[in-house]
Amino acid sequence: MRTAEHDGFTRIAIDFNAEATWRLEQDGTTVRILADEIATYDLADVYRRIGTERITSFRQAGPGELVVELACACAPETFRYGNSLVLDVSQDAAPLEPPRPAPRETAVVAEPLHRRMLLPGLLTNSLPVETEPDADPLPASIRAERAAALRAGLRADLGLPPDAEPAVPDDTPVEPEIEIEDEVPRPGQLQVESQITRDTRGYDEVIPRAACPAFAEETLDTWATLRWTLPPEAADAEWTVAEAKRLISLGFGIEAKGVLDVVSGDERDIRLLSQIAQLVDAPGPAPEIASVAECGDSLALFALISNPPAAPLRIGSVLDALAASPEAARTHLERRAIEGLIALGNDEGARLVAAASGRRETAGALPDLTSLTMAADDEPVPAADLEEIVARRTPEAAAALRMMVDNMVDDGASVPPDLLDQARAFLPEITGSDRHRLQRALIRAEITSGLYLRAAADIDTLAEDDAAMAKRLDEELFTTVSSIENDALFLTQIVSLDDRPVPNAELRIAIARRIAENHVPKLALRTLSRGPDMPTAAERLLSASLALDAGDANVAEAHLTGLVDPEAGILRERVALLRAEQAPAPTSDPVTVSPSGIRSRGSAIVEQSAALRAELEAFLNN
């Protein structure tokens, strides 16, 4: 939407992206423009160049529906200019008539002269050039008079003195004026709005749409989900740029910069996105962002948080950009925007942003948050500063949470459940090594809190991305379990982790010895047998000893095969003794008893049965 005030009428121009079909309705002082296409009208600057004599307000009442409230009993005159719909509102306009659709291609001569001259000068910075002008239906006297009026108006706007010599009147007889359909007579003085007059009156430059980057009107909320909306056939560069935008929307600038450094595409757009990524982490010079700050709300916000900050034309654009930002980065950006406005001396704007964000303190009173990257290695960040960083969800919030959890675990304290829940909520927002470090801190907190099964499940998830870190956490898990003082609780937790291999030999031996001390040799044997690598000699010796305790000479002998250690010789002697103990006693030939009666036959059967039972027992033991 563009507007301008002229002598006797107010001009409104609606620039559609393509030729649109529209109709105009008027009910008293309410004018409705109804476009068949779903259009969103940009009303950012509609009040800047007009007064309240003829126009009261503009508003969008629905998709494609624009409502213009008039301050007078006026009837707007409408006509097309390319893809633009132009409304001239004046109190002396002709009665309103339904608009007649214009053909797609209209000869230049069909436009009235004042429109051909006024519209480009009003809404752009140059007049149209006609290579082959058609015959002008207006007489020379009228053309000269209007040309003189235009020249006088331009000289007055530029502050130049009037022409030294008055125009010589033309005595040519006036020919009958040719009536041109839809033309409304205009006053002789037509004030032309040019770039020069805009600059001399203090207007800021309006950036041409062609100079804006392709992503100018996208919001940070859109960037957060852009990657999931790309079609499968999208190019790799599109996916990479979408990932960089997602990281920017979550407040991770250096990660986004690293992604953009290796992507190819529109060089200017990639350069602008790289500047935005750097601005997310820290204020710095961003001249290119400042040059396109008025192309979209997000660009205006990023220009404001640069160093030096660039003042936005409308504080509303900054508020809109913050409202359309994900929660992960909004608080950080709000604080930076407030600081930028105060640096520009715009205290009122800073108060507006503070009020919109719910802050009660001014930007100058905001705490100076400790930067985790600035803290020395031997000087841990105070807990209060970490809590403040987490509360404001700055880009370092995930690292601050990790530090808080690690500090509690290192001190042997139990991590509060609400802090664990908050840390888990951060996991979907971060990627790479930062995510793995936060997962490690969460698993350590679960181990310290006795949530062994949950820790084991999280270790399995982490192992898909970082197997080495998962193995170290497994060792920490079993070390913690083996240090449980209560024997019953120790055995209970070991049984619950029965299907999980113990990661190293020394730990397996320590756990198996303690299990054996609690007289559960078979569980100890299972612990030793589930190692992820070949058993060591010490494990084989302990396995053989446990098998002997369980009365299994064959298993013990199998573990001792190939071992020449003195302890192996002692165990082999135990195997031989066990075999001797388990060997069946020699049985004598049954005594033949003459069948002297029922008693003698019964005694023989009893002896034979005893011998069979002894043989069967020896067979089963073997």
Side-chain angles (χ1 to χ4, degrees), residues 25 32 49 82 103 108 112 118-119 123 125 144 160 222 240 315 335 339 368 371 376 432 450 476 482 533 535 589 591:
E25 300 176 355
R32 298 179 184 275
R49 297 188 180 93
V108 177
L118 174 60
L119 186 63
L123 298 179
N125 296 329
L160 300 176
T222 303
T240 307
I315 194 64
R335 182 175 184 272
E339 292 171 350
D368 184 14
S371 173
E476 188 170 346
S482 65
D533 43 18
D589 294 335
V591 178

Side-chain angles (χ1 to χ4, degrees), residues 151-468:
R151 185 169 59 253
L154 285 173
R155 293 182 69 86
D157 284 340
L158 297 174
L160 300 176
D163 291 338
E165 297 181 1
V168 179
D170 188 359
D171 297 332
T172 306
V174 179
E175 300 177 6
E177 187 169 334
I178 301 175
E179 293 186 2
I180 300 176
E181 187 178 5
D182 290 343
E183 181 181 1
V184 177
R186 297 296 183 202
Q189 173 65 29
L190 299 178
Q191 181 176 343
V192 178
E193 184 81 2
S194 67
Q195 184 64 49
I196 297 175
T197 57
R198 284 199 293 272
D199 290 344
T200 54
R201 294 174 187 175
Y203 296 145
D204 290 294
E205 180 182 1
V206 178
I207 299 175
R209 187 178 297 274
C212 294
F215 55 83
E217 297 183 2
E218 296 175 351
T219 64
L220 293 185
D221 270 341
T222 303
W223 285 7
T225 57
L226 180 62
R227 195 178 65 179
W228 319 118
T229 61
L230 287 179
E233 63 273 11
D236 291 342
E238 291 185 67
W239 286 94
T240 307
V241 171
E243 172 64 10
K245 289 180 176 179
R246 186 184 74 85
L247 291 171
I248 290 172
S249 70
L250 298 177
F252 299 103
I254 191 64
E255 293 84 355
K257 180 70 166 57
V259 170
L260 292 168
D261 285 344
V262 297
V263 72
S264 60
D266 188 297
E267 182 179 351
R268 178 170 176 268
D269 282 5
I270 298 299
R271 192 167 61 250
L272 288 171
L273 284 172
S274 295
Q275 283 191 12
I276 291 173
Q278 291 172 317
L279 289 175
V280 167
D281 279 349
E288 290 192 81
I289 300 297
S291 68
V292 294
E294 294 308 315
C295 286
D297 293 342
S298 297
L299 290 170
L301 172 61
F302 287 122
L304 177 60
I305 66 174
S306 62
N307 185 21
L313 287 182
R314 296 186 310 111
I315 194 64
S317 62
V318 175
L319 295 174
D320 292 342
L322 291 172
S325 300
E327 184 65 27
R330 184 182 307 159
T331 305
H332 173 60
L333 293 175
E334 285 170 350
R335 182 175 184 272
R336 296 268 302 279
I338 293 172
E339 292 171 350
L341 289 168
I342 288 182
L344 292 168
N346 188 351
D347 294 343
E348 181 62 28
R351 282 192 288 271
L352 284 173
V353 175
S357 63
R359 300 182 189 275
R360 293 294 177 265
E361 67 274 20
T362 62
L366 291 175
D368 184 14
L369 301 181
T370 302
S371 173
L372 303 180
T373 57
M374 296 296 292
D377 293 338
D378 57 348
E379 296 180 3
V381 181
D385 289 343
L386 293 174
E387 293 173 1
E388 186 68 25
I389 293 171
V390 173
R392 295 187 180 280
R393 293 181 71 89
T394 71
E396 294 175 327
L401 265 174
R402 174 177 57 80
M403 285 187 178
M404 292 174 66
V405 173
D406 279 338
N407 290 343
M408 292 181 181
V409 173
D410 293 340
D411 293 341
S414 180
V415 182
D418 59 338
L419 185 59
L420 288 177
D421 292 340
Q422 192 173 7
R424 291 191 189 97
F426 262 93
L427 285 176
E429 301 179 7
I430 54 178
T431 58
S433 58
D434 288 337
R435 178 186 177 91
H436 297 163
R437 285 193 289 267
L438 182 57
Q439 284 178 301
R440 173 181 175 274
L442 281 171
I443 293 170
R444 293 186 68 216
E446 291 167 349
I447 294 172
T448 304
S449 302
L451 305 174
Y452 303 124
L453 289 179
R454 183 163 189 173
D458 290 342
I459 290 173
D460 292 338
T461 302
L462 178 61
E464 299 175 2
D465 299 320
D466 194 334

Side-chain angles (χ1 to χ4, degrees), residues 81-102:
Y81 188 84
N83 290 336
S84 299
L85 166 62
V86 182
L87 291 82
D88 287 343
V89 180
S90 61
Q91 292 181 331
D92 57 350
L96 180 67
E97 296 181 0
R100 290 183 289 277

